[in-house]
Amino acid sequence: MSERRPRRTFTKEFKQQMVDLYRSGKPRSEIIREYDLTGSSFDRWVRQADTSGSFSEKDNRSPKEEELIKLRKENMKLKMENDILKQAALI
């Protein structure tokens, strides 16, 4: 069984440097190997830089994802209100 590597965090500046290296012509495989990155993370950074210019997940959500988050919050609020009304009815 392979050992999982600890989760690492990267600054916006580092991510931008990696994207800039790639855009300047350095091969993807070299960047990933040299900086010990995962391919999926690197690809996500390039995609985020291309679409929104931001590496924040919040800035890269689709309208459907935003709506889903909003609806889940509303659903949770309504459930809480319903529970409060049920408790009040018992009193």
Side-chain angles (χ1 to χ4, degrees):
M1 193 165 142
S2 66
E3 213 175 295
R4 294 189 77 177
R5 78 166 81 173
R7 185 173 182 95
R8 299 179 297 167
T9 57
F10 300 97
T11 64
K12 289 183 265 186
E13 294 80 13
F14 178 81
K15 293 174 185 181
Q16 188 61 56
Q17 287 177 341
M18 296 301 104
V19 172
D20 292 343
L21 276 174
Y22 177 69
R23 287 182 178 156
S24 70
K26 188 164 186 168
R28 175 186 179 273
S29 58
E30 278 185 36
I31 296 170
I32 291 170
R33 186 178 58 251
E34 186 175 333
Y35 293 95
D36 192 29
L37 304 172
T38 62
S40 60
S41 291
F42 178 78
D43 294 340
R44 184 174 59 250
W45 298 345
V46 172
R47 187 175 59 254
Q48 288 173 336
D50 289 342
T51 56
S52 71
S54 172
F55 297 107
S56 170
E57 293 300 320
K58 182 180 178 191
D59 295 336
N60 288 288
R61 289 184 189 138
S62 71
K64 285 188 177 191
E65 290 171 322
E66 290 289 347
E67 182 181 12
L68 181 60
I69 290 168
K70 180 181 166 231
L71 290 172
R72 284 180 176 164
K73 285 180 183 178
E74 185 179 348
N75 189 30
M76 188 179 303
K77 179 183 172 208
L78 292 171
K79 283 181 179 181
M80 287 173 46
E81 289 174 356
N82 196 23
D83 288 342
I84 291 168
L85 290 172
K86 284 179 183 177
Q87 291 297 319
L90 291 175
I91 295 175

